[in-house]
Amino acid sequence: MFTMKDSRTAKLRPVPVRKIRADAVAPLLLANIGQLLTMRSGSAGPRRGSALKELTIITDGSVLCVAGKIVSVGTTKDALRDLWLTSNRNKVTEIDCRGKVVLPGFVDSHTHPVFVNPRLVDFEKRIEGASYEEIASAGGGIRSSLEAVRKAPKKQLVEKVLTAFRDMAAHGTTTVEAKSGYGLTLVSELKSLAAIRDAASAWPGTAVPTLLGAHVVPEEFRNCSQKYIELVCTEMIPRAARERLAQFVDVFCDKGAFTPSQTEQVFAAAQANGLAVRAHMGQLSETTLAPFLRFKPASFDHMDQVSDSDVQQLAKHDTVATLVPGANYFLGLKHYPNARRLIDAGAPVALATDYNPGTSPTISMPMAMSLACTQMNMSPAEGITASTINGAWSLRLAHRKGSIEAGKDADLAVFAVKDYREIPYWFGPNHCTHTILNGILASAD
Ligand code: NIG
Ligand code: FE
């Protein structure tokens, strides 16, 4: 009988802040997997419509990872016949995944991890009935997070971001998009992006940095938001691009934040500096999306309010609609984005946590999936696709991330459940037992 060592070579915490090299780790074999969700599919581009349900499950599966890459995927029987494996068994770390589910590590494609404090006063005010906009105009909201980030030494921000990345990994996330956006001065936005970079280099997973200088108009630019947009376009974006601190530029396009015309200016500046774009759209009010499509945005996020004609447009483009139900849940809203309308029309849909101190203080992708199932009528299979391969598409990383296929990065999550539908079903406790990030094993205990 093929017996496996239950390897616990790396703990999630405490991990010293140091560079981690995937090529330095032992080859890894996950075997006897109850359900292996490979997410392989014949469809090209981000998954839409019925392709969102294609999980391509192998029972009694196995995955072999070498030097941070997946090298073979199949049944355990196939793995045991593999010539390289039979002659190198003593060099391989093995994990027995009997009775468990293995799926691609989650791709959390929308997070705001660079903040210092939770916003507990806002939390209480909201419970007493104040709206998001009322809290913002009373001095709470995004602006109330700025001072602490501006004052914080970079090292403190690195620790905050790294702690969030580790918690995410403990819940199965292996790739994280991470935005700046709580500094809103040139110096503090660059410091926030540098904190993301430093945290990423001490974490075995993959972080994708986004400049969100256009998050809100800071107090010192009140009544002259156009001047602030000029600062974003002529100083922040060029510096972030030149210093390779960001891959994307994001804008909060909504009432109380930035107008469609300011959003176009930011997109144009990003494009001129070689950076890709994404935007918060339709969270509080509807914005016509079609004029922005010429910038080929990687994603439009939130999408609570969107017109029928824009949904039809999205069905014809690769811009992903990224839904963040954690924000609706935490804001106590009755309404959630209409995922069914988007999916049934053929628009590509991703799920993300929107981890942030104001609207969605959760790092848990299983929680986002659970909300997607119960509040947005997405099936568990659609939720998993939206949290893996479609998240990867929205970060332009689908060639490396989001499915379990030979040649892709070894990013895997192991859950102590027999059936993948249990991942969104058992909401609350964490059932992720192991996470493999670029070939490096982190176990939850
Ligand atoms: O995605 N909408 C803009 N940004 C965040 C909220 C940030 C905050 O309130 O701190 C969001 O919901
Ligand atoms: Fe957000």
Side-chain angles (χ1 to χ4, degrees), residues 110 112 119 132 142 182 215 252 280 283 302 354 356 358-359:
H110 181 142
H112 306 247
R119 293 217 296 270
Y132 185 63
I142 297 165
Y182 291 113
H215 199 183
F252 183 14
H280 287 67
Q283 181 180 15
H302 285 274
D354 193 12
N356 78 75
T359 66

Side-chain angles (χ1 to χ4, degrees), residues 287-343:
T287 296
T288 306
L289 302 178
F292 297 107
L293 290 170
R294 69 190 166 92
F295 294 101
K296 298 194 182 344
S299 76
F300 289 138
D301 301 30
H302 285 274
M303 303 287 279
D304 294 64
Q305 330 275 340
V306 57
S307 69
D308 284 338
S309 71
D310 279 340
V311 171
Q312 295 307 324
Q313 285 295 312
L314 290 176
K316 296 187 202 127
H317 289 81
D318 283 353
T319 300
V320 175
T322 301
L323 310 180
V324 291
N328 299 65
Y329 165 77
F330 189 73
L331 294 175
L333 304 181
K334 304 254 174 316
H335 293 284
Y336 283 71
N338 192 335
R340 285 264 57 95
R341 182 166 70 125
L342 289 158
I343 293 170

Side-chain angles (χ1 to χ4, degrees), residues 26 34 40 42 49 66 71 90 164 168 183 185 200 239-240 258 274 302 305 308 313-315 327 342 374 392 421 432:
R40 234 183 352 234
V66 179
V71 296
N90 57 345
M168 289 169 179
T185 61
R239 281 287 295 278
F258 296 97
H302 285 274
Q305 330 275 340
D308 284 338
Q313 285 295 312
L314 290 176
L342 289 158
T374 61
R421 291 171 294 189
C432 179

Side-chain angles (χ1 to χ4, degrees), residues 6-8 30-37 57-61 95-103 413-420 422-423 431-435 443-445:
D6 189 9
S7 172
R8 303 285 156 110
L30 281 70
N32 304 323
I33 301 165
Q35 285 187 338
L36 170 59
L37 278 49
I57 299 176
I58 299 174
T59 49
D60 195 5
I95 308 170
D96 185 3
C97 298
R98 200 178 303 266
K100 292 184 175 174
V101 169
V102 173
L103 71 165
V414 183
F415 277 77
V417 292
K418 287 196 169 53
D419 185 301
Y420 72 86
E422 294 179 76
I423 298 172
H431 291 286
C432 179
T433 59
H434 302 77
T435 310
S443 58
D445 50 350

Side-chain angles (χ1 to χ4, degrees), residues 327-411:
N328 299 65
Y329 165 77
F330 189 73
L331 294 175
L333 304 181
K334 304 254 174 316
H335 293 284
Y336 283 71
N338 192 335
R340 285 264 57 95
R341 182 166 70 125
L342 289 158
I343 293 170
D344 296 343
V349 165
L351 284 172
T353 61
D354 193 12
Y355 172 63
N356 78 75
T359 66
S360 191
T362 180
I363 49 71
S364 168
M365 286 297 287
M367 181 68 195
M369 281 168 48
S370 190
L371 291 169
C373 294
T374 61
Q375 309 300 311
M376 306 198 303
N377 299 100
M378 286 174 70
S379 69
E382 289 171 332
I384 285 173
T385 306
S387 302
T388 54
I389 188 69
N390 272 12
W393 274 105
S394 95
L395 297 181
R396 308 241 158 101
L397 284 176
H399 57 297
R400 283 173 45 201
K401 311 280 182 189
S403 64
I404 302 178
E405 295 178 82
K408 282 203 168 184
D409 294 346
D411 287 347

